[in-house]
Amino acid sequence: MLNVLLITADQWRGECLGVAGHPIVKTPNLDALAGEGTAFLNHFANAAPCSPARACLYTGLYQMNNRVVRNGTPLSARFDNVALAARRVGYVPTLFGYTDQSPDPATLPPEDPALTTYEGVLPGFEVRVKLPENEQAWLDWLQSQGLHFPDRDAAHLPIADIGKVSNAPPAYSKEQTQTAFIADEFSRWLSEQQSSWFAHVSLLRPHPPFVVPAPYNTLYAPDKVGAFTGHESIEAEAAIHPLMGFALRYTPQKSFVPGANGLVRDWTDADFRQIKATYFGMISEVDAQLGRIFAAVRARGDWDNTLVIFTSDHAEMLGDHHLLGKGGFYDESQHIPLIVRDPRARAQGRRTTAFTEAVDIYPTLLDAIGAEPAHVADGASLLPFLAEPPAAWRDAAHWEFDFREVASQLTEQAFGLSSTELNMAVLRTAEWKYVHFTAMPPLLFDLKADPHCLRNLAEDPAHLGTRLLVAERLLSWRARHLDQTLALKELTPEGVVSRKTTNF
């Protein structure tokens, strides 16, 4: 049986790879992986934040079908996923890190503690290392090395300039990062395996807080990180859409820099440049630890029988449009990396610019390991790209973003809308981006003339025809991808007849 190494990073922008042509970021180990596989350069997350994004990846279903709309939304037990599928063909899929999938309350008693957190484990996984938001396993590991922190917030405080944007490193070293901890645990587990294996290495970085140990904290100079996209003024940025105004009004600095106070919008250009330099350093730190993971697989003699998939759950705004974080309609939040390396593929070093999506991971993995899906996926296997690009493929990327807050009702009160009205869907072709909101004005951008989405054409009389066409395309996309699991079956005198389909 083929070994499987599924690696997810958190908040990694798609262009931040050497193989993607980034002029600054150094990722030699991932570039080498791409040299033995295929790099998908137009790969997009289908939702944000973490739980919704990962639900799409793990189930192969768009948010409109899996209905994981926010962190804390339960994933229905009726859905198949990559771990359950792997078990059906004999693997013991093992998790290192987290999956952030909330359990279905219908499967548990009301007082079960699992119903008090969004950081549940995807059904089907064995857990070797669980690294939820409190990062307790990592903190315990640090304590065994003489570093004691009362909690993860204290661990990530820089040794200087607390509350300020700077390149000050934390107290832990490059050998003591969360990624190094996971790499160590994976290597130890790998040495214990007696047969074919399936590992999901789920890494937190380059997710905030934006702090990284030496030498990565000074690896990139703030004045060399490149320009930011967006309007010059925050007021012009906020005027694009009420959702942008809300994000600029509420996004706090403390979510990104330990000890900081105020709003992200208050940071200066120099602050954003330092954050960007630190973020690039975090990426290089992860790449170095991935090199250790790959070396462990090679040392065991398994490299030539191991499928490797590297991707991210979603991306990071990183100062573009005066924002940090994820969610919304900008590519910066949803364009993510994907590298697939199948040792059975003859072609190596391929790059494709076809639109691929997170929902393609589930069918790709099942195709690779010979597992039959238990529901009809919205995505399609990417394995054909490892030989020759398929003749028929999608010509657009799609994603959804739901900004309800069921518990706090913050967004409901801010917009004066109900929870079911606070969502949007995006159709993004090479030429156009159309954003449809349930109860707010739409957006239309001409990506050829306006690649950074600075001018909304949705109300421009000259573009009403285009708006109608792309809105119809979005409606047709949604209609084609209604849940087909039972709709593609029919009971006949001869028994159950089933059909398979791939609709783009």
Side-chain angles (χ1 to χ4, degrees):
M1 287 169 56
L2 187 68
N3 302 312
V4 177
L5 178 55
L6 170 61
I7 304 169
T8 54
D10 197 320
Q11 226 146 309
W12 191 307
R13 286 170 63 121
E15 78 276 13
C16 288
L17 292 170
V19 69
H22 199 283
I24 300 170
V25 176
K26 300 177 178 66
T27 53
N29 293 294
L30 285 172
D31 295 346
L33 179 70
E36 298 183 25
T38 298
F40 295 82
L41 302 181
N42 262 332
H43 189 65
F44 285 81
N46 294 120
C50 191
S51 297
R54 289 169 180 270
C56 297
L57 185 156
Y58 294 138
T59 67
L61 297 172
Y62 290 125
Q63 186 178 81
M64 61 182 164
N65 287 325
N66 68 50
R67 299 311 296 143
V68 177
V69 295
R70 301 296 291 162
N71 286 349
T73 305
L75 175 64
S76 174
R78 71 188 180 94
F79 294 126
D80 193 25
N81 66 58
V82 293
L84 293 174
R87 296 188 84 90
R88 291 198 295 271
V89 293
Y91 291 98
V92 181
T94 303
L95 173 67
F96 298 80
Y98 59 99
T99 59
D100 282 353
Q101 297 303 295
S102 304
D104 187 338
T107 66
L108 298 169
E111 301 304 317
D112 193 305
L115 298 177
T116 65
T117 175
Y118 77 89
E119 296 182 292
V121 175
L122 188 74
F125 273 118
E126 302 285 321
V127 180
R128 178 63 178 238
V129 177
K130 187 176 182 181
L131 202 62
E133 193 170 292
N134 65 21
E135 301 184 281
Q136 192 58 52
W138 173 61
L139 296 177
D140 292 344
W141 180 71
L142 289 179
Q143 187 167 351
S144 71
Q145 301 180 48
L147 281 179
H148 174 71
F149 300 102
D151 54 45
R152 55 93 64 180
D153 291 334
H156 291 304
L157 287 174
I159 60 175
D161 299 322
I162 293 176
K164 300 178 181 179
V165 176
S166 77
N167 64 3
Y172 56 85
S173 71
K174 66 183 177 67
E175 289 83 15
Q176 296 173 317
T177 64
Q178 307 102 310
T179 317
F181 168 60
I182 291 291
D184 282 359
E185 293 298 312
F186 169 79
S187 298
R188 185 176 297 110
W189 171 85
L190 186 63
S191 69
E192 301 166 5
Q193 302 312 298
Q194 302 298 316
S195 58
S196 299
W197 48 269
F198 185 123
H200 178 23
V201 175
S202 179
L203 305 172
L204 179 65
R205 297 308 209 158
H207 187 286
F210 294 129
V211 61
V212 69
Y216 303 105
N217 62 321
T218 58
L219 187 61
Y220 300 96
D223 62 347
K224 303 293 185 183
V225 296
F228 296 95
T229 61
H231 287 283
E232 285 288 330
S233 75
I234 291 173
E235 291 73 22
E237 206 70 70
I240 284 285
H241 195 270
L243 182 60
M244 275 297 292
F246 177 84
L248 289 164
R249 190 164 64 249
Y250 284 102
T251 307
Q253 294 177 357
K254 65 182 181 181
S255 296
F256 305 95
V257 172
N261 291 300
L263 297 174
V264 165
R265 62 180 289 172
D266 297 329
W267 271 326
T268 66
D269 180 75
D271 291 328
F272 280 121
R273 287 184 171 278
Q274 180 56 65
I275 287 171
K276 198 171 186 178
T278 299
Y279 176 85
F280 289 170
M282 293 164 71
I283 282 177
S284 289
E285 185 272 324
V286 172
D287 182 80
Q289 295 300 331
L290 288 176
R292 293 182 59 216
I293 288 174
F294 299 155
V297 178
R298 288 191 178 93
R300 181 181 157 87
D302 283 354
W303 189 250
D304 291 335
N305 190 42
T306 299
L307 172 75
V308 183
I309 297 178
F310 169 79
T311 189
S312 183
D313 51 2
H314 49 71
E316 160 63 51
M317 291 301 297
L318 202 61
D320 290 326
H321 301 278
H322 304 274
L323 287 175
L324 295 174
K326 62 274 186 179
F329 47 85
Y330 290 115
D331 284 15
E332 289 88 345
S333 170
Q334 303 302 119
H335 178 217
I336 55 176
L338 175 64
I339 299 170
V340 179
R341 183 260 187 192
D342 187 333
R344 302 166 300 183
R346 294 181 181 178
Q348 296 182 346
R350 287 184 175 273
R351 304 181 189 183
T352 179
T353 57
F355 285 113
T356 57
E357 300 177 338
V359 293
D360 297 326
I361 301 300
Y362 167 88
T364 299
L365 266 171
L366 270 62
D367 188 11
I369 63 178
E372 285 295 319
H375 59 226
V376 177
D378 290 318
S381 174
L382 300 174
L383 293 190
F385 281 98
L386 277 57
E388 291 293 336
W393 194 256
R394 69 174 69 89
D395 63 354
H398 316 81
W399 66 87
E400 299 164 274
F401 180 58
D402 198 301
F403 41 106
R404 72 185 74 187
E405 294 288 352
V406 173
S408 71
Q409 293 287 289
L410 173 64
T411 50
E412 285 82 348
Q413 293 167 10
F415 291 107
L417 297 170
S418 69
S419 295
T420 57
E421 294 177 306
L422 294 169
N423 54 76
M424 46 154 270
V426 177
L427 171 75
R428 193 252 196 245
T429 70
E431 294 83 22
W432 297 96
K433 178 184 287 184
Y434 175 68
V435 189
H436 189 86
F437 290 82
T438 301
M440 294 189 203
L443 294 164
L444 177 67
F445 300 105
D446 180 349
L447 297 180
K448 293 293 187 182
D450 178 25
H452 302 307
C453 300
L454 302 180
R455 183 186 173 205
N456 177 22
L457 302 175
E459 302 300 331
D460 186 337
H463 291 88
L464 290 182
T466 299
R467 173 178 160 182
L468 176 62
L469 288 174
V470 292
E472 288 177 344
R473 277 197 60 176
L474 182 65
L475 181 61
S476 295
W477 166 75
R478 292 183 70 87
R480 281 196 304 271
H481 288 281
L482 295 172
D483 185 2
Q484 302 294 334
T485 298
L486 293 181
L488 284 170
K489 298 180 185 294
E490 184 175 341
L491 306 188
T492 73
E494 289 74 34
V496 180
V497 174
S498 299
R499 300 295 182 192
K500 295 182 179 180
T501 185
T502 299
N503 289 322
F504 296 121

